[in-house]
Amino acid sequence: MPGDEAPQELWVDGMERDAVPALDRGLHYGDGLFETIACIAGRPRFLSLHLARLARGCERLGLAPPAPEVLRQEIRRLAARAQRGIVKLILTRGAARARGYRVTGTEQATRIALRYRWEPDDPQLALDGVRVRIAALRLGENPALAGLKHCNRLEQVLARREWSDAGVAEALMFSSTGQLISGTMSNVFLVQGARLRTPRLDRCGVAGIMRSVVLREAAAAGIAAEETPLDRSDLEGAAELFLTSALIGLRPVRSVEGESRSPGAVTRELQRRLAPLLAASADG
Amino acid sequence: MPGDEAPQELWVDGMERDAVPALDRGLHYGDGLFETIACIAGRPRFLSLHLARLARGCERLGLAPPAPEVLRQEIRRLAARAQRGIVKLILTRGAARARGYRVTGTEQATRIALRYRWEPDDPQLALDGVRVRIAALRLGENPALAGLKHCNRLEQVLARREWSDAGVAEALMFSSTGQLISGTMSNVFLVQGARLRTPRLDRCGVAGIMRSVVLREAAAAGIAAEETPLDRSDLEGAAELFLTSALIGLRPVRSVEGESRSPGAVTRELQRRLAPLLAASADG
């Protein structure tokens, strides 16, 4: 077992257990979905948004989910056992009923819930921003899987293996057709001419919860925003650049491949609006 | 547990066990590889070829494999316990040493070995051929993963969900850019003007063991063969069409989306050459 980074709690189907059936389709095919949920003051942040995304993913994969209340209560119980933590929920299609890819329709989903320690970030990062690189690996395009937080994540694993410098926080990823998509574990936003733009995720990428919250807050603040195809030249020409994820919230980028960037007025306005939501552990 | 289709034996890291650690990266990310090995007369067929492909996959994913002799002996032992069977070996990167995609380099691979019953096929199928359809889902392109038999198989799971007619044996899959790639669980070959052609698998698809055996036997038989980009018109214009996999060997296609096909001389010659190899459970 790993050291500090091991989960503090590990539940399988609601019970303290540390193993899953070796026939699980999650293990055989990555046939499942997951959510990574920030928990503050013993409460899971944006839980309703996470559960809604999970439900949409189940619908698209044809995976019969447990009752939403079961998931909601389980995540709440797990979150409540620590002041601060990260809850990861994996929902797989469950044990294989037959050999091979075929789904019989009688599978019962397996849920694996883990709570990890979550140390507070250095607050200076939100002010100064982070350094990012550009991944050499490009994302394959598949509309059937685009947007989903599914368990087929070898592309992200390989992209994350491209660097070991702890001073580089993230790598931006492009698609096989040259579109800017996201980071390996975050979404990306650009500001161009006071307009907020984030990649459209209809061919690849994961539609993050914080991405949707930022789009909602931008609308509330009267900041024009759009989901749109973006490429390398958009990245290079952007006046401001930031990353979002359930864990980091919104984080400015201060350099891309060593080239400096500065957070600007739109980034700061959105950070200001998000701060109370992030601190108060908003539900939806 | 399922009925007849449940594995007859299930080993984790060489021991009879039915569960894997819930922290396994195979479960979290599909971070692993697998082999499906036909076993006849208690012996794993083409075992050396399977192990060589697995080793190449480990190299490309940066996954430290167990010693080849450990794998070889384990598969042989498992195969020897039944006259006939299918051994599936999954090799994952092992338990996560940290939260997130990052590989620490200290992971220890987990091996899951299963043996399933394998009923002999109706010999008429090899003569008459099988009916296939064309999958609506298209494969994403990623050279970093192309050719590998890795555990990110949601595309195949979704493509297999497109049909339930037991009379349809397989679905042919195209890539996002319109190239013919493979079946959901087999490779595909065309014959055009006495020339054997199979899709080049440098952007997606799995480079099957039987595919490599067929290419080798074609060379030995003096049949001109090539791995090349192929599209829908190549499929439509092909004089002969067949599928290959470790389990089915070589199987002619007798209809595509209801349109008839006939096995021809090249198909029959290759079937004739393969027959003794398949029956004798050749090692490499």
Side-chain angles (χ1 to χ4, degrees):
Chain A
M1 289 283 281
D4 281 355
E5 296 198 73
Q8 297 184 284
E9 301 206 52
L10 183 37
W11 297 354
V12 177
D13 290 338
M15 286 170 282
E16 278 191 49
R17 275 197 282 174
D18 60 6
V20 297
L23 284 180
D24 199 275
R25 291 177 60 103
L27 178 71
H28 285 244
Y29 308 127
D31 192 3
L33 298 156
F34 70 108
E35 293 291 332
T36 304
I37 306 166
C39 304
I40 289 182
R43 279 161 47 207
R45 197 162 72 186
F46 299 121
L47 179 57
S48 295
L49 298 179
H50 283 288
L51 291 176
R53 175 173 64 178
L54 187 63
R56 287 193 301 274
C58 287
E59 177 80 29
R60 284 177 60 192
L61 295 187
L63 193 163
E69 267 319 295
V70 169
L71 294 174
R72 185 180 294 276
Q73 291 310 324
E74 193 163 304
I75 294 166
R76 280 195 177 142
R77 272 201 299 143
L78 195 51
R81 289 159 73 120
Q83 266 300 300
R84 206 182 141 84
I86 299 167
V87 168
K88 177 173 181 176
L89 174 73
I90 304 175
L91 190 68
T92 76
R93 203 183 301 268
R97 311 294 290 182
R99 205 188 56 73
Y101 299 126
R102 187 168 59 91
V103 172
T104 64
T106 60
E107 293 80 8
Q108 282 201 295
T110 302
R111 50 189 202 277
I112 301 113
L114 312 95
R115 198 189 64 244
Y116 294 87
R117 230 182 279 275
W118 186 29
E119 299 302 329
D121 283 323
D122 178 356
Q124 201 64 33
L125 288 174
L127 296 172
D128 298 345
V130 294
R131 292 165 52 203
V132 306
R133 68 192 303 277
I134 292 183
L137 184 137
R138 291 185 163 210
L139 295 164
E141 296 187 340
N142 195 326
L145 296 173
L148 299 182
K149 201 168 175 81
H150 58 67
C151 295
N152 278 199
R153 299 258 75 96
L154 270 173
E155 292 181 320
Q156 285 70 30
V157 170
L158 292 185
R160 187 61 190 80
R161 287 187 75 233
E162 290 181 13
W163 86 96
S164 54
D165 177 355
V168 173
E170 179 59 298
L172 297 178
M173 301 189 75
F174 287 82
S175 72
S176 60
T177 60
Q179 299 297 301
L180 176 66
I181 303 298
S182 64
T184 63
M185 52 185 170
S186 61
N187 289 112
V188 61
F189 286 80
L190 316 180
V191 179
Q192 289 175 305
R195 203 174 175 77
L196 187 63
R197 309 179 84 191
T198 191
R200 187 181 294 168
L201 301 178
D202 56 351
R203 301 196 59 81
C204 46
V206 176
I209 294 305
M210 198 60 62
R211 174 178 182 273
S212 65
V213 171
V214 165
L215 288 170
R216 187 180 75 187
E217 292 305 311
I223 297 167
E226 59 182 352
E227 303 173 58
T228 182
L230 295 169
D231 61 18
R232 183 80 182 234
S233 66
D234 292 305
L235 177 64
E236 284 164 3
E240 303 178 41
L241 183 62
F242 62 82
L243 306 175
T244 63
S245 85
L247 301 185
I248 63 173
L250 186 164
R251 193 148 295 175
V253 171
R254 71 178 168 95
S255 76
V256 179
E257 293 278 342
E259 193 191 304
S260 289
R261 302 292 188 127
S262 309
V266 174
T267 300
R268 294 310 188 199
E269 167 67 6
L270 288 167
Q271 283 185 300
R272 199 185 59 73
R273 295 188 72 99
L274 280 175
L277 297 176
L278 300 183
S281 205
D283 178 47
Chain B
M1 288 282 281
D4 281 356
E5 297 199 72
Q8 298 185 283
E9 302 206 53
L10 183 36
W11 297 356
V12 177
D13 289 339
M15 285 168 284
E16 277 190 49
R17 276 196 283 173
D18 59 7
V20 296
L23 284 179
D24 199 275
R25 290 178 61 104
L27 178 71
H28 286 244
Y29 307 126
D31 192 2
L33 299 156
F34 70 107
E35 294 291 332
T36 304
I37 306 166
C39 303
I40 289 182
R43 280 158 49 205
R45 197 162 71 185
F46 299 122
L47 179 57
S48 295
L49 297 180
H50 283 287
L51 291 176
R53 175 173 64 178
L54 187 63
R56 287 193 300 273
C58 286
E59 176 80 28
R60 282 177 61 192
L61 294 186
L63 194 163
E69 267 319 297
V70 169
L71 295 173
R72 185 180 294 274
Q73 291 310 324
E74 195 162 303
I75 294 167
R76 281 197 176 142
R77 271 201 301 142
L78 195 52
R81 289 158 72 122
Q83 266 300 301
R84 206 182 141 85
I86 298 168
V87 168
K88 177 172 182 175
L89 174 73
I90 304 175
L91 189 68
T92 76
R93 204 185 298 270
R97 311 295 290 183
R99 205 189 55 74
Y101 300 125
R102 186 168 59 90
V103 173
T104 64
T106 60
E107 292 81 8
Q108 282 200 296
T110 301
R111 49 189 203 278
I112 300 112
L114 311 94
R115 199 192 61 244
Y116 294 87
R117 229 180 282 273
W118 186 28
E119 298 304 328
D121 283 323
D122 178 356
Q124 202 64 31
L125 288 174
L127 295 172
D128 298 345
V130 294
R131 290 165 54 202
V132 306
R133 69 191 303 277
I134 292 184
L137 184 137
R138 291 186 162 209
L139 296 164
E141 297 188 339
N142 195 324
L145 296 173
L148 299 182
K149 202 168 173 83
H150 58 67
C151 294
N152 277 200
R153 299 259 74 96
L154 270 173
E155 292 180 320
Q156 285 70 30
V157 170
L158 293 184
R160 186 62 190 80
R161 285 186 76 234
E162 290 182 13
W163 87 96
S164 55
D165 177 355
V168 173
E170 178 60 297
L172 297 179
M173 301 189 76
F174 288 81
S175 72
S176 60
T177 60
Q179 299 297 302
L180 175 66
I181 303 299
S182 64
T184 63
M185 51 186 171
S186 60
N187 289 112
V188 60
F189 286 80
L190 315 180
V191 179
Q192 288 175 308
R195 203 174 175 79
L196 188 63
R197 309 180 84 191
T198 191
R200 188 182 291 168
L201 301 177
D202 56 351
R203 300 194 60 81
C204 47
V206 175
I209 294 305
M210 199 60 62
R211 175 179 182 272
S212 66
V213 171
V214 165
L215 287 171
R216 186 180 76 186
E217 292 304 312
I223 298 167
E226 59 183 351
E227 302 173 59
T228 182
L230 295 169
D231 61 19
R232 183 81 182 232
S233 66
D234 292 305
L235 177 64
E236 284 163 3
E240 304 178 41
L241 183 61
F242 63 82
L243 307 174
T244 63
S245 86
L247 300 185
I248 62 174
L250 186 164
R251 193 149 294 176
V253 171
R254 72 178 167 93
S255 76
V256 179
E257 293 279 344
E259 193 192 303
S260 289
R261 302 293 188 127
S262 310
V266 173
T267 301
R268 294 310 187 198
E269 166 69 6
L270 288 167
Q271 282 185 299
R272 200 183 59 71
R273 296 188 71 100
L274 279 176
L277 297 176
L278 300 183
S281 205
D283 178 49

